Amino acid sequence: ILRGVPFVARHTRAPRIAMDQPVKLAIVMKVLGRTGSRGQVTQVRVKFLDDQNRLIMRNVKGPVREGDILALMESEREARRLR
């Protein structure tokens, strides 16, 4: 047992993000809709600022609108389509 460390801190794991990869900037081209069990996630189509012909779909938590710029820690994963 770790003394002085809260229970939650001992049993949660930080997300694994490669620190050597730079953050990718992407601009929101279109808001596609809400998803998640309570509608807390917005599905958007983004275009990368460094590669103008690459479009992917991402899920965004929090307020977002067309024209916003997202800083993506991971840029290879694409969200599944809404049903």
Side-chain angles (χ1 to χ4, degrees):
I1 294 179
L2 297 173
R3 303 266 181 224
V5 178
F7 179 79
V8 174
R10 288 183 297 195
H11 295 286
T12 57
R13 205 179 324 181
R16 293 183 181 261
I17 298 170
M19 291 300 180
D20 56 345
Q21 287 187 336
V23 171
K24 290 271 198 173
L25 297 178
I27 188 166
V28 176
M29 300 305 294
K30 185 174 183 181
V31 176
L32 300 173
R34 306 285 285 192
T35 184
S37 61
R38 294 178 185 86
Q40 72 273 22
V41 178
T42 308
Q43 196 164 69
V44 297
R45 183 170 300 280
V46 299
K47 177 167 55 171
F48 290 97
L49 294 181
D50 60 348
D51 186 6
Q52 290 289 321
N53 57 1
R54 184 169 169 216
L55 290 164
I56 66 169
M57 282 188 308
R58 291 299 297 250
N59 291 331
V60 179
K61 191 169 182 179
V64 65
R65 60 184 173 199
E66 290 182 19
D68 285 353
I69 295 179
L70 304 178
L72 301 177
M73 302 297 281
E74 198 276 325
S75 61
E76 297 300 318
R77 231 177 351 182
E78 187 165 358
R80 291 187 297 233
R81 292 284 299 162
L82 285 172
R83 286 184 241 149

